[in-house]
Amino acid sequence: MSSLVAAAPAAPLPLHEKSTASKPVLPGVALEAYSGDPNFMASLARGLVVIEAFTPQSPQMTISQLSQRTGLSRAAVRRCLYTLVKLGFAGADEAQRYSLRPKMLTLANTYTASSTLANAAQPILERMSASYKESFSVATLDGEEIVYIARTTMTRVMSVDLHIGSRLPAFCTSMGRVLLAYLPQDQLEHFLARLQLVQYTPRTVNSKEKLRLILRNVRRNGYALCDQEYEVGLRSIAVPVFAGNGRVVATVNLSGHAPRMPMLEMQTRFLPPLRAAASELSVFLR
């Protein structure tokens, strides 16, 4: 979960951006910048800093590890974790290694419920599903993954149960490739530098150079088509959703079973309505 602590108006940089000339300032230490603000709730901020410390690379940590990562005292970390555990947002194993719990998704759901894009997307997807009897989705990019912010399901097209808040790898999914293809070059290079290619199926792209070529083609064609790269039997097609400034902020996709959905049909039958839906969504971003 990223950027949960918002910067105060006309105040120092957000916690994750503050730094000194000598070394980065830990998030917990950066909270001292708000010590003179009577409206700043330090205990809430410390809890958010602890939540943000968990990452896919470090999903489980002890109190000591969290203290080192956040710059908060062990006592402060312990109180934050105690509260998160009591509320069901975190838990610990027998070795006292803490991790976030699924209830954390309720925070994401609250975001999507208040998101203009998510609210606008859902009825559009439902209308498309009613017309075509297929499953449609809208997603955004978060790090190396896509996150579903709106979805309709007519049939189960994947072995996993996808829903709002679900995350999938960006590099081998049609929605992820659309979002990657329109990234500024420096951001794309940063993504590729840290990307670990996972062979999900025999068709999954297996080199970064091949992925670069695919992304160039996606940008040139204005859509991405994935054929069974994340899961055998699954095909999907996605198009970009542009904001008013020309930046791609989301993507709309159709996914279906490969045996009943030929590649040509995806391009000829479904590409036009997907582009129409993306254009309709773009209006809400201007």
Side-chain angles (χ1 to χ4, degrees):
M1 190 169 296
S2 61
S3 302
L4 286 173
V5 182
L13 289 173
L15 303 183
H16 62 284
E17 295 180 4
K18 279 185 70 69
S19 63
T20 63
S22 57
K23 63 179 182 179
V25 176
L26 296 174
V29 176
L31 294 180
E32 296 175 2
Y34 302 91
S35 60
D37 187 343
N39 295 313
F40 186 77
M41 189 178 294
S43 57
L44 174 60
R46 286 192 290 269
L48 295 175
V49 165
V50 169
I51 290 172
E52 287 186 306
F54 292 96
T55 66
Q57 295 74 32
S58 301
Q60 290 184 309
M61 285 181 283
T62 63
I63 289 175
S64 178
Q65 289 170 332
L66 281 163
S67 177
Q68 292 177 358
R69 174 164 292 199
T70 62
L72 297 171
S73 68
R74 288 170 55 91
V77 170
R78 185 180 295 107
R79 289 194 298 273
C80 290
L81 289 171
Y82 178 85
T83 303
L84 291 171
V85 169
K86 286 295 184 181
L87 295 177
F89 290 106
D93 60 17
E94 295 180 353
Q96 291 301 297
R97 292 176 302 182
Y98 289 84
S99 60
L100 300 179
R101 290 293 185 258
K103 189 177 180 181
M104 215 30 99
L105 291 174
T106 60
L107 301 179
N109 290 338
T110 300
Y111 159 76
T112 56
S114 62
S115 166
T116 299
L117 180 59
N119 285 332
Q122 196 61 41
I124 293 174
L125 299 187
E126 290 172 359
R127 186 181 69 226
M128 294 174 69
S129 286
S131 297
Y132 295 97
K133 309 303 180 187
E134 300 291 348
S135 300
F136 295 90
S137 306
V138 172
T140 58
L141 187 66
D142 185 18
E144 298 178 18
E145 299 174 312
I146 59 168
V147 182
Y148 285 78
I149 65 170
R151 178 166 170 78
T152 57
T153 305
M154 296 301 293
T155 58
R156 184 74 171 267
V157 296
M158 296 185 66
S159 60
V160 295
D161 182 20
L162 293 178
H163 50 79
I164 294 174
S166 291
R167 307 172 75 93
L168 292 179
F171 82 96
C172 62
T173 56
S174 63
M175 290 195 289
R177 286 180 177 172
V178 164
L179 294 166
L180 293 174
Y182 288 88
L183 283 178
Q185 191 61 37
D186 59 334
Q187 293 182 29
L188 177 59
E189 291 303 321
H190 182 63
F191 172 89
L192 292 172
R194 66 180 188 272
L195 174 64
Q196 297 294 319
L197 293 171
V198 178
Q199 197 74 30
Y200 291 101
T201 77
R203 293 174 178 261
T204 308
V205 64
N206 56 13
S207 81
K208 294 183 180 181
E209 286 309 310
K210 289 182 180 178
L211 181 58
R212 286 179 192 275
L213 177 60
I214 290 171
L215 295 179
R216 284 198 292 269
N217 288 333
V218 168
R219 184 153 187 160
R220 182 177 67 248
N221 297 329
Y223 69 92
L225 185 60
C226 264
D227 184 17
Q228 307 178 76
E229 290 197 46
Y230 180 69
E231 184 171 305
V232 173
L234 175 71
R235 284 185 180 140
S236 62
I237 186 170
V239 299
V241 177
F242 292 89
N245 58 4
R247 187 169 58 94
V248 170
V249 297
T251 174
V252 187
N253 112 312
L254 158 77
S255 53
H257 293 289
R260 68 172 183 80
M261 194 169 286
M263 301 275 279
L264 182 60
E265 181 183 5
M266 296 192 83
Q267 294 167 293
T268 57
R269 182 185 179 197
F270 294 111
L271 190 54
L274 282 172
R275 284 176 165 160
S279 296
E280 190 173 349
L281 279 174
S282 295
V283 173
F284 293 91
L285 301 173
R286 293 172 184 168

